[in-house]
Amino acid sequence: MSKLSDIYWKTREKSGIMWRRSVGRVVDWPPSPGRFVVGNAESAVAVCTLSSTALIDQLNPHYAAIIGRVYTPNLGIERMIINVVSNPRLRYLVLCGRESPVFKVGEATIKIFENGLDEHGKIIGASGAMAELPNLSPEMLETFRNQFKLINLIDEVNPKKVDKVLAEYFALNAPPYAPQGLFVRPDNENSYITMQAHRRQWLEFDPSGYFFIHIDWEQHELALERYTTDKRLTHVIRGRAADVLYHTVIAEKLLSQMEHAAYLGAELAKAETALYNGLNYEQDKKIRVADRASAAERLEDGGNQSS
């Protein structure tokens, strides 16, 4: 690390400012998408912050090649394993951050190392929800167990304490697990279908009725109006989050088609984005970020402009 970079990180640690832009896209490595930061390619350390998303941006990336969150044992752990096994430079996996009381990803990862999987792909001894890995080959799982030493810091959320451990393992300068070069993506041994998404089709009319979505800027909330097929207003559902509204629609059985439910969820998500960013929202139209000044004014004055 350069002297300038060293001064930069020490200054941030002293001031308590530990923020940087995170990465969540697929590049050459890691091959699987997720909520992570790519750090020092020379490091043999990978870090899983479990359910503590904020910790990703608080740890010093000089000591780790990748720092990321894993929230669920099934797809989350599968993607983590694919990402870390695909880099033979990595030899240590540090578990830190808060453990989810429901999913128990930290415990599940430990049980993978201790017990492996049963014949149904379930993690032996794991007590959390969805503790199974149905999409990983036995070879990849065995490589994961052999390649890595597990460091258990579960429920440790102090960045300085975690950084101290990361620095210790970084300093060991462990040799690569395999002779091949860095950032090798494993061959995909699973068979699944990859296709281009279909173009949007007009929905068949839902016999249960239809919905009109708008933003109430004065109350700073979404309003969802439900009409019957004879254009009679039966419900007005209000709230500030898309999921609250569509869960209410489903719970009250106000629609009858999967396509209609998917459409409604997508439209409510757009409306929520517009609500919290002061943007114009019109149902069935794309959100345009054309005038940020107007958006800021709308948020400032409580939204006295209707969408």
Side-chain angles (χ1 to χ4, degrees):
M1 184 164 62
S2 68
K3 289 184 179 179
L4 182 61
S5 178
D6 189 42
I7 294 170
Y8 169 72
W9 276 104
K10 285 182 178 178
T11 303
R12 279 167 48 128
E13 288 173 355
K14 288 179 181 178
S15 64
I17 301 172
M18 298 293 290
W19 181 93
R20 68 184 166 279
R21 184 180 295 277
S22 299
V23 179
R25 60 189 177 89
V26 178
V27 289
D28 292 339
W29 182 82
S32 194
R35 179 68 165 83
F36 53 72
V37 165
V38 175
N40 186 351
E42 299 302 314
S43 175
V45 182
V47 183
C48 172
T49 66
L50 301 175
S51 65
S52 297
T53 304
L55 200 56
I56 298 173
D57 293 325
Q58 294 172 337
L59 299 177
N60 189 334
H62 174 70
Y63 300 129
I66 185 170
I67 305 168
R69 183 200 75 173
V70 177
Y71 195 71
T72 58
N74 55 350
L75 293 180
I77 290 182
E78 283 182 358
R79 288 180 174 178
M80 177 184 72
I81 291 175
I82 290 171
N83 282 341
V84 297
V85 167
S86 66
N87 184 348
R89 182 72 184 87
L90 300 178
R91 301 306 308 276
Y92 306 108
L93 176 60
V94 178
L95 300 177
C96 59
R98 295 292 183 201
E99 175 79 296
S100 165
V102 176
F103 296 112
K104 300 183 181 179
V105 168
E107 178 205 78
T109 305
I110 292 171
K111 294 302 180 183
I112 290 171
F113 279 85
E114 291 179 351
N115 307 325
L117 309 181
D118 65 16
E119 63 273 20
H120 304 294
K122 295 185 181 297
I123 302 170
I124 300 171
S127 61
M130 298 192 292
E132 53 189 342
L133 306 177
N135 299 306
L136 287 185
S137 68
E139 293 77 16
M140 182 174 289
L141 187 67
E142 199 58 28
T143 299
F144 176 61
R145 296 173 70 187
N146 292 329
Q147 179 176 341
F148 285 90
K149 174 182 173 64
L150 194 63
I151 295 93
N152 184 355
L153 298 179
I154 294 174
D155 286 329
E156 179 58 73
V157 294
N158 185 322
K160 290 185 177 180
K161 290 183 178 180
V162 177
D163 272 343
K164 183 179 179 181
V165 175
L166 299 185
E168 290 174 0
Y169 282 94
F170 171 76
L172 295 178
N173 197 25
Y177 176 71
Q180 62 259 43
L182 291 179
F183 312 153
V184 176
R185 180 171 183 166
D187 293 332
N188 180 17
E189 299 175 358
N190 300 309
S191 62
Y192 55 82
I193 298 171
T194 301
M195 65 173 66
Q196 290 296 317
H198 298 296
R199 289 183 176 274
R200 177 178 172 180
Q201 304 291 323
W202 288 107
L203 299 176
E204 292 184 9
F205 202 75
D206 188 339
S208 293
Y210 61 94
F211 296 89
F212 174 68
I213 304 167
H214 66 92
I215 296 176
D216 184 336
W217 288 108
E218 186 173 345
Q219 298 298 322
H220 193 70
E221 62 185 7
L222 307 175
L224 177 63
E225 299 175 2
R226 188 259 189 171
Y227 294 83
T228 59
T229 53
D230 60 358
K231 301 181 177 61
R232 183 170 60 89
L233 177 64
T234 61
H235 297 75
V236 179
I237 305 170
R238 308 179 73 90
R240 295 186 176 182
D243 59 343
V244 174
L245 271 70
Y246 67 65
H247 279 303
T248 302
V249 169
I250 293 170
E252 297 295 324
K253 298 180 172 59
L254 300 180
L255 49 70
S256 63
Q257 296 176 336
M258 289 178 58
E259 295 90 343
H260 196 184
Y263 161 81
L264 186 63
E267 282 298 321
L268 285 170
K270 284 165 48 183
E272 181 184 330
T273 299
L275 173 67
Y276 285 96
N277 291 276
L279 303 172
N280 283 320
Y281 169 77
E282 293 183 65
Q283 194 166 335
D284 294 322
K285 293 187 177 180
K286 293 183 182 296
I287 295 176
R288 304 289 183 185
V289 190
D291 188 351
R292 297 300 300 175
S294 296
E297 289 174 8
R298 183 178 289 114
L299 289 172
E300 224 173 88
D301 67 10
N304 292 325
Q305 311 164 51
S306 63
S307 63

